Amino acid sequence: MGRSGLSGCREQAAPASDPRLGDGLTLGRKSTDTNRQVRVEDVARLAGVSPITVSRALSYPEKVREETRLKVADAVAKTGYVVNHFASSLRSGRSSIVTVFVSSLLNPHFADSMQGLIDAFEGSPFHLMFAQTSYSEQFDMDAVGAVLPFRPAGLVFTGVVRSEATRRALGRLGVPVLEMWGARPDPIDMLIGFSNHDAGELMGRHLGACGFRHVAYSGHTVERGAERLEGLRTGLAAFGASIELAYAMEGTRQMSDGMAAFDAILEQLPACDAIFFGTDVLAFGALVRAYDRGIPVPGRVAIAGLGNLEFSQHTRPSLTTLHVGGYEVGREAGRRMLRRLNGAPVDDPIVSHPITLEARGSTRH
């Protein structure tokens, strides 16, 4: 797949020239008596209905009688028939596949968003296919082109696409495009997310108001991370403070990385009295390391994170963090994409999700 790895699509895509495509509904296993893949005609024969009725029962079950639907379902179970949605889209020109480009499924914030997206699509006739990208938002049309043979009905990105050439090309595809987890006044089509600058500024103002003056940051420092850093700088400046050290942690990071970052920051900036981490996971690692070293939090150094993950309120001390509602962002993105896919208008193409500060024990003396 070049720069993107595909996962999450259960159906096997047959080549467009494969004569077995037939009406676009094919089988995933061989028929034991003829040593060939079972076709829709085989299911129709066993169910005692026409092939078009089988297609309708599988694609639009609400449009057939319950008795017919049960006959088809029984025939499908007996033959092991599997619908090939890719082949169906080749024949009909309509697709039920929505491709979602995810920076990393190891990132718990993105994982929450993906669950919200999945829940929004539950019960719909559309299927989500995931393609993992790097954290860079500068990926080009080669990454998108890898999934175009699947004729996606829509495209979702966990980030704002920054390459202008790619943005123009996506706009010409003629399908709904939704960007998440970012902010921009001119989305390709639709955008739902939050301002990383505002998030950083909110935390900067909190740390400044608490009296911290030797502040460090650790997390992503490019693209959306750079926006967060600038916001933090703005918030601190209102209290005469500044970022004295930015310790880069790019890519997907784990708790152990937060532990290592904590040690490195205190070594490079001995006077550090507060650290803002780009994720709760890193911040939790720092809390663990501070406990191991006998360093009081927040007495000696305050620690804050971003994400308000479930565990953050149960740490000792409880973790100050920013709530961005990853699940809610994903669910709203799914609802808006479904509206567009079903031909309904979306009133506002841009939704800015609110950010709230959860001030807890890790920054309060």
Side-chain angles (χ1 to χ4, degrees):
M1 291 303 300
R3 296 173 60 186
S4 298
L6 294 180
S7 63
C9 181
R10 295 181 178 177
E11 294 77 27
Q12 293 295 313
S17 60
D18 193 330
R20 296 173 298 173
L21 285 178
D23 64 354
L25 299 170
T26 63
L27 254 287
R29 70 176 177 84
K30 302 286 187 178
S31 171
T32 56
D33 58 337
T34 62
N35 196 34
R36 65 169 175 82
Q37 285 190 319
V38 183
R39 299 178 56 173
V40 68
E41 290 81 5
D42 301 315
V43 179
R45 189 178 304 111
L46 184 59
V49 298
S50 67
I52 191 63
T53 298
V54 173
S55 299
R56 186 178 296 114
L58 294 175
S59 300
Y60 307 99
E62 72 281 0
K63 294 184 178 181
V64 300
R65 292 183 303 170
E66 179 69 7
E67 179 184 0
T68 302
R69 188 188 66 79
L70 292 175
K71 286 182 179 180
V72 171
D74 183 62
V76 166
K78 289 178 177 178
T79 59
Y81 185 74
V82 177
V83 180
N84 187 326
H85 293 281
F86 174 54
S88 298
S89 66
L90 285 177
R91 181 171 178 83
S92 67
R94 299 187 303 271
S95 174
S96 63
I97 295 173
V98 175
T99 300
V100 185
F101 291 88
V102 190
S103 299
S104 172
L105 288 174
L106 289 176
N107 183 315
H109 310 292
F110 290 159
D112 282 349
S113 286
M114 293 306 96
Q115 188 58 56
L117 192 70
I118 290 169
D119 288 350
F121 272 84
E122 184 71 27
S124 80
F126 295 95
H127 307 268
L128 299 177
M129 179 174 67
F130 294 93
Q132 183 165 318
T133 68
S134 68
Y135 269 98
S136 174
E137 295 165 347
Q138 293 289 348
F139 59 87
D140 55 32
M141 276 302 294
D142 287 343
V144 180
V147 304
L148 290 185
F150 292 88
R151 297 194 180 181
L155 299 170
V156 178
F157 297 86
T158 57
V160 172
V161 179
R162 297 179 185 268
S163 166
E164 291 301 326
T166 303
R167 294 180 67 83
R168 290 192 296 270
L170 288 169
R172 293 193 295 266
L173 289 179
V175 300
V177 177
L178 191 146
E179 300 164 277
M180 300 167 58
W181 282 88
R184 183 168 173 146
D186 58 339
I188 299 169
D189 184 9
M190 297 176 286
L191 184 148
I192 177 166
F194 65 96
S195 168
N196 275 284
H197 184 282
D198 290 352
E201 183 175 353
L202 185 59
M203 183 58 74
R205 288 184 175 276
H206 169 68
L207 296 177
C210 288
F212 301 111
R213 295 295 179 266
H214 305 287
V215 179
Y217 167 82
S218 182
H220 292 169
T221 59
V222 297
E223 297 173 344
R224 66 188 111 188
E227 296 170 3
R228 191 180 308 138
L229 263 173
E230 187 58 35
L232 178 64
R233 187 173 289 109
T234 299
L236 289 171
F239 295 87
S242 63
I243 303 172
E244 296 191 4
L245 176 64
Y247 189 81
M249 280 275 178
E250 312 297 349
T252 301
R253 297 290 181 161
Q254 305 297 329
M255 189 181 76
S256 58
D257 296 308
M259 298 173 71
F262 181 80
D263 286 340
I265 289 170
L266 291 190
E267 181 179 353
Q268 296 178 34
L269 185 65
C272 178
D273 58 5
I275 309 172
F276 172 37
F277 287 92
T279 75
D280 285 350
V281 174
L282 290 174
F284 181 49
L287 282 176
V288 171
R289 186 59 178 152
Y291 178 83
D292 289 345
R293 293 179 56 176
I295 297 176
V297 177
R300 166 62 180 83
V301 58
I303 293 173
L306 185 151
N308 196 28
L309 296 176
E310 197 276 335
F311 64 77
S312 63
Q313 59 185 312
H314 303 297
T315 60
R316 292 293 178 269
S318 56
L319 180 64
T320 290
T321 184
L322 295 171
H323 179 80
V324 295
Y327 177 85
E328 291 80 6
V329 168
R331 186 173 58 182
E332 181 61 24
R335 288 172 174 171
R336 286 176 168 264
M337 176 59 75
L338 277 171
R339 282 183 61 84
R340 287 291 307 280
L341 292 172
N342 290 322
V346 173
D347 296 334
D348 190 348
I350 301 176
V351 175
S352 183
H353 201 73
I355 309 162
T356 56
L357 173 71
E358 298 292 337
R360 297 180 180 133
S362 66
T363 58
R364 288 180 165 175
H365 291 289

